[in-house]
Amino acid sequence: MKIATFNINGIKARINALPEWLDETQPDVVVLQEIKSVDEAFPRELFEDRGYNVETHGQKSFNGVAILSKLPLEDVRRGLPGDDSDEQARWIEATVVGKQAIRICGLYLPNGNPVELTEDGQPVEGGKYAYKLAWMERLRQRAQDLLAEEMPALMAGDYNIIPQAEDAKTPGAWKDDALHRPESRAAFQRIMALGFTEAFRARHQGPGHYSFWDYQAGAWNRDNGIRIDHFLLSPQAADLLRDCQIDKNVRGRDKPSDHVPVWVDLDL
């Protein structure tokens, strides 16, 4: 089973590029981020005509996540548990059954910038960085619950986390950024420490692997990228991992997203 994650940075802007990539690569399941569309306006027929079941968790102009699946989507849930007041559309999950069932969670983790800190270095309450870290703690709790269910599970999407220095072309430029601050990386590691496998690093080592290039300052032409789109696999899912790749070439096409697809192949 080929499962992909892709931050498309607006479904309207990628109305041609996304179907083109789907037709070429034929993933079985795709989790999308930043659809930037309410549910009613999402062009679901475009994907249903290609054989995909479509579930969305949308929001006008911002955020928004979706799952496309050639297999039925069961027990669909929207919104990350832990804060009923959180109205941002950043989480969707469903069960997909191939040779066996797998719980697929798609996420768009908060960016967290600008980083606002108190004089003693703590995130300012109510600020974007505090929201990011609180969201990551909720993610850790959901991850813990997924493990307790003891079925294959994965959490995939735009994590807005640069886990290690080698995941950035110029790591020094990111040291004070919410994507690479020590608190952010530590929160990511706390989730990993529960027993998850980061799929890409299970198959590829070393620098030079990126999934995002900014539109500004010629980042793509200079390959000044960062790797922030990740698959975290439960132990049961990690046992099924056959491959994980980044479709880097998509970034060089007409009207690209600033992210590219990342995918795993699982023995499902």
Side-chain angles (χ1 to χ4, degrees), residues 81 140-150 194:
R140 188 191 67 80
Q141 293 171 7
R142 180 65 187 122
Q144 200 164 32
D145 290 342
L146 287 169
L147 293 179
E149 294 171 9
E150 296 187 346
L194 295 173

Side-chain angles (χ1 to χ4, degrees), residues 205-259:
Q205 301 300 315
H209 305 287
Y210 312 124
S211 63
F212 170 93
W213 296 259
D214 196 280
Y215 291 128
Q216 307 300 317
W220 168 244
N221 292 330
R222 296 186 292 114
D223 198 25
N224 185 13
I226 54 177
R227 193 176 69 89
I228 57 175
D229 301 88
H230 310 302
F231 277 88
L232 298 193
L233 310 180
S234 73
Q236 296 85 353
D239 287 343
L240 304 173
L241 179 62
R242 296 196 289 205
D243 198 7
C244 181
Q245 300 287 344
I246 299 173
D247 283 354
K248 180 178 179 179
N249 67 303
V250 175
R251 183 63 174 80
R253 297 183 178 180
D254 186 46
K255 295 182 179 178
S257 170
D258 41 9
H259 294 252

Side-chain angles (χ1 to χ4, degrees), residues 38-213:
V38 295
D39 296 333
E40 298 77 15
F42 189 82
R44 56 187 309 119
E45 296 83 4
L46 189 63
F47 307 105
E48 290 172 341
D49 289 347
R50 288 171 163 78
Y52 288 98
N53 298 288
V54 179
E55 295 288 349
T56 61
H57 181 33
Q59 181 177 344
K60 185 177 181 180
S61 303
F62 298 98
N63 305 326
V65 288
I67 304 180
L68 315 178
S69 175
K70 291 185 176 179
L71 295 162
L73 292 166
E74 303 175 2
D75 189 19
V76 180
R77 302 182 194 176
R78 296 168 174 82
L80 184 64
D83 184 358
D84 292 340
S85 68
D86 186 0
E87 297 180 350
Q88 297 194 30
R90 295 181 174 275
W91 178 270
I92 189 169
E93 60 178 271
T95 297
V96 174
V97 181
K99 288 189 293 185
Q100 60 180 299
I102 182 169
R103 192 67 177 170
I104 295 178
C105 306
L107 64 94
Y108 176 43
L109 203 146
N111 179 286
N113 287 303
V115 175
E116 299 174 282
L117 303 175
T118 62
E119 290 183 359
D120 59 354
Q122 298 302 309
V124 172
E125 187 174 348
K128 291 185 176 181
Y129 193 48
Y131 174 65
K132 179 190 186 101
L133 296 178
W135 204 95
M136 294 187 75
E137 175 55 24
R138 288 162 55 201
L139 177 61
R140 188 191 67 80
Q141 293 171 7
R142 180 65 187 122
Q144 200 164 32
D145 290 342
L146 287 169
L147 293 179
E149 294 171 9
E150 296 187 346
M151 70 178 289
L154 62 80
M155 303 186 300
D158 176 1
Y159 278 75
N160 272 313
I161 294 287
I162 304 169
Q164 300 169 293
E166 66 183 9
D167 294 313
K169 179 68 173 291
T170 54
W174 297 89
K175 64 183 181 66
D176 295 321
D177 193 280
L179 277 63
H180 195 51
R181 281 187 62 85
E183 303 93 337
S184 303
R185 289 184 283 123
F188 185 78
Q189 288 303 318
R190 282 194 291 274
I191 297 167
M192 292 281 294
L194 295 173
F196 285 84
T197 295
E198 208 255 273
F200 187 81
R201 284 303 180 197
R203 286 291 179 268
H204 308 277
Q205 301 300 315
H209 305 287
Y210 312 124
S211 63
F212 170 93
W213 296 259

